[in-house]
Amino acid sequence: MISQEELYQYLAKEQWEELLDILYKHKEQIKNDALLNHAAKTFETEFLRKTQGYDKSRVEIIKYLEKFILLHHGGFYKLTDENYKILVIEIVKRKKLKEANDYATLLPNEEICKKVISEYNFFKIKEEGFKLKQTNKLPMNWIEIYNRLFELINNQGDPATYFSGPRFIDTVRQYEPYFPDYAQFINQRNIEGKSTTRKIFYYDILLGLSDEVRIKVVNRILEILKPFSKDKVLEIENIIEDRKPISKPEPELISDSRRPIVFISYSWDNEQHKKWVLDLADKLCADGIDVILDRYYLKPGASLPHFVEDNLNKADRVIIIFTPNYKLKADKRAGGVGYEYSIMNVELYKNQTSNEKIIPILREGSAEQSIPTFMQQFIHIDTRNDENFLNSYNDLIREIYNEPEIKKPIIGTKPLFG
């Protein structure tokens, strides 16, 4: 048990590490005791106020700040919104550019965070170049569409419709804000020995954008051109519309570019549990889902943090298989489970009201025994009864493909009353 007086004694001596340990170890007592909760809030405010005055050479301070943010994201201690903002900004100020950028993305609208994100993206462009990638999701007659579009934007005698290099790239930057500006892009093309002819590099840019951004850029250009070349714009729009994919009868063969990507997070409880998870992953693969499972990819010497961060970001959905051992490791932030859970908690914190990514599965124990407190607010799929597995699996596969079993009917019209 901890007393209010002890908290204030630690506070007076600025024993920050001890106070942070107390917030974690005595979280339930602090939550349920009004006096302790008040003392904890006093520590929260005082710590952040004094932190802002500490010299950046005090390397231990960043350790305390990061521990505080983990407590918050892990649901062990809830900071006020204002103090959370102060905490993130203070970490951003003290971290080197790459790590500062990771934290800045938590508050992208704050001025200092905007500045760090912009600097980091400029650094990446300078060091690595903007990575354009060839896409697989193009209309069959994309070359015809592009040639028609370029013909309309290539009339140098018409300033309303002519798209110079800077104007074209500025249009792209409306939807891809960290795309290099015109001077940066041309310099990069020259370094790479690639053509700076407008028709060629416009084409390369559009092909290298994500499908969503490319569509927005093309539609924006067509919107600008329409008042001046309505008939020709309509021809392009009709070609695009004619090439929409035709729905196929079930079962549908899914192209690689449209397969849902699912990351599975679980603990290695025992051989039986590992086999159950592997069987689940194999079954999902057979049903057209690209599964990321550690046992498929990780080999001795591989970097676990790199594997987790890279693939959690890549995944469309994340399946967490909860057992008592998973909860124990998640709460202690132990091993791979602890690392995965810390990253996923940040995602959930940012989207508490609309979790569209994480699918909780209860495999063993009760919800209280197996699911960390913060995650208990989300509806889980119960797979504890093996005899009912197919029903549970059906719920899971429908959720991944966003094909609910029960759909709300179309709202009809008001009936006539006699």
Side-chain angles (χ1 to χ4, degrees):
M1 300 291 284
I2 189 75
S3 69
Q4 183 186 19
E5 289 72 24
E6 287 177 89
L7 279 175
Y8 285 125
Q9 286 174 12
Y10 283 124
L11 180 57
K13 297 175 184 177
E14 296 189 10
Q15 292 178 280
W16 307 130
E17 188 163 16
E18 289 80 359
L19 282 162
L20 289 165
D21 286 340
I22 287 169
L23 292 187
Y24 172 68
K25 293 176 182 175
H26 300 277
K27 52 187 176 292
E28 292 301 325
Q29 187 185 350
I30 292 170
K31 187 189 300 182
N32 297 319
D33 186 313
L35 292 176
L36 277 177
N37 189 266
H38 182 269
K41 289 298 177 188
T42 303
F43 153 61
E44 171 188 330
T45 301
E46 278 299 292
F47 168 67
L48 292 171
R49 183 181 68 80
K50 292 188 175 183
T51 295
Q52 294 174 80
Y54 290 146
D55 191 87
K56 291 181 181 178
S57 62
R58 291 187 58 177
V59 294
E60 79 279 8
I61 298 301
I62 192 66
K63 179 179 75 171
Y64 303 150
L65 291 166
E66 289 189 294
K67 191 167 186 178
F68 216 156
I69 207 166
L70 278 175
L71 288 174
H72 177 82
H73 285 159
F76 302 111
Y77 180 82
K78 179 74 172 176
L79 287 150
T80 65
D81 291 344
E82 184 60 30
N83 283 338
Y84 176 74
K85 184 189 298 183
I86 293 170
L87 175 60
V88 172
I89 289 173
E90 195 59 33
I91 294 175
V92 169
K93 287 179 180 177
R94 291 173 179 270
K95 282 283 191 181
K96 292 183 180 178
L97 185 60
K98 183 179 185 304
E99 291 178 308
N101 176 74
D102 293 339
Y103 284 99
T105 56
L106 297 173
L107 296 173
N109 295 322
E110 293 297 315
E111 285 305 314
I112 187 170
C113 296
K114 285 181 184 177
K115 184 173 182 290
V116 166
I117 292 169
S118 178
E119 287 178 359
Y120 177 68
N121 281 283
F122 179 77
F123 169 79
K124 282 189 68 178
I125 291 168
K126 185 177 178 183
E127 292 295 310
E128 305 170 14
F130 191 93
K131 302 301 183 186
L132 293 171
K133 297 180 180 178
Q134 183 94 11
T135 182
N136 294 320
K137 295 184 181 179
L138 289 169
M140 288 176 62
N141 53 352
W142 164 249
I143 293 176
E144 179 189 351
I145 292 170
Y146 175 74
N147 286 339
R148 286 174 176 267
L149 179 67
F150 187 79
E151 182 182 87
L152 293 181
I153 64 176
N154 194 40
N155 182 4
Q156 298 187 31
D158 185 351
T161 62
Y162 176 65
F163 274 73
S164 64
R167 185 183 185 186
F168 184 86
I169 286 180
D170 284 345
T171 305
V172 172
R173 283 165 60 89
Q174 291 178 29
Y175 306 100
E176 188 73 81
Y178 300 117
F179 192 90
D181 62 28
Y182 177 72
Q184 292 169 340
F185 183 80
I186 294 299
N187 182 58
Q188 182 181 328
R189 297 281 288 191
N190 285 327
I191 291 170
E192 295 174 354
K194 295 180 178 178
S195 172
T196 54
T197 302
R198 286 183 307 106
K199 186 171 184 178
I200 294 174
F201 80 73
Y202 289 5
Y203 184 82
D204 288 347
I205 288 174
L206 289 174
L207 251 64
L209 297 173
S210 69
D211 300 309
E212 180 183 3
V213 172
R214 184 189 322 103
I215 291 168
K216 287 180 179 178
V217 171
V218 170
N219 284 341
R220 176 58 184 150
I221 294 173
L222 292 176
E223 181 184 334
I224 293 169
L225 299 174
K226 203 163 194 174
F228 308 97
S229 304
K230 184 176 180 180
D231 290 343
K232 291 186 176 180
V233 168
L234 285 174
E235 286 174 4
I236 295 173
E237 289 177 339
N238 288 335
I239 295 170
I240 294 172
E241 290 297 317
D242 286 345
R243 295 301 180 179
K244 283 185 176 178
I246 301 170
S247 58
K248 300 177 182 178
E250 294 293 342
E252 181 182 355
L253 292 176
I254 302 169
S255 67
D256 289 342
S257 60
R258 293 197 298 116
R259 292 188 192 282
I261 301 174
V262 172
F263 182 97
I264 298 182
S265 175
Y266 69 108
S267 56
W268 284 28
D269 296 1
N270 50 52
E271 290 303 318
Q272 182 182 1
H273 182 59
K274 285 164 60 179
K275 183 180 184 305
W276 187 89
V277 174
L278 182 60
D279 289 344
L280 173 65
D282 290 347
K283 187 169 178 57
L284 289 171
C285 287
D287 283 326
I289 294 166
D290 185 358
V291 177
I292 302 172
L293 184 73
D294 53 2
R295 296 181 70 188
Y296 288 160
Y297 297 101
L298 283 183
K299 297 178 181 178
S303 168
L304 178 62
H306 180 267
F307 172 80
V308 171
E309 288 184 23
D310 185 47
N311 287 298
L312 277 176
N313 290 330
K314 185 190 300 182
D316 301 308
R317 307 299 296 268
V318 177
I319 295 173
I320 309 180
I321 301 174
F322 288 113
T323 62
N325 191 44
Y326 188 101
K327 182 178 189 294
L328 181 65
K329 289 184 176 181
D331 286 346
K332 290 184 176 181
R333 297 297 191 269
V337 165
Y339 191 77
E340 291 168 14
Y341 185 73
S342 295
I343 296 175
M344 289 184 288
N345 246 349
V346 175
E347 178 79 19
L348 281 171
Y349 176 79
K350 291 188 289 186
N351 302 281
Q352 289 186 62
T353 58
S354 58
N355 169 32
E356 298 292 340
K357 186 161 185 174
I358 294 177
I359 305 173
I361 288 181
L362 180 59
R363 176 57 184 160
E364 292 179 13
S366 65
E368 291 73 19
Q369 292 171 329
S370 302
I371 303 178
T373 305
F374 180 69
M375 292 285 291
Q376 289 179 18
Q377 63 183 297
F378 302 108
I379 297 172
H380 63 263
I381 296 174
D382 193 337
T383 62
R384 290 174 294 179
N385 183 356
D386 287 337
E387 294 180 1
N388 196 42
F389 173 76
L390 288 180
N391 288 334
S392 301
Y393 180 79
N394 186 55
D395 292 339
L396 173 62
I397 202 81
R398 283 183 173 277
E399 175 63 24
I400 293 170
Y401 279 114
N402 193 26
E403 291 285 350
E405 187 172 5
I406 299 174
K407 297 182 180 180
K408 183 177 179 180
I410 297 172
I411 304 299
T413 57
K414 180 181 177 181
L416 296 174
F417 297 99

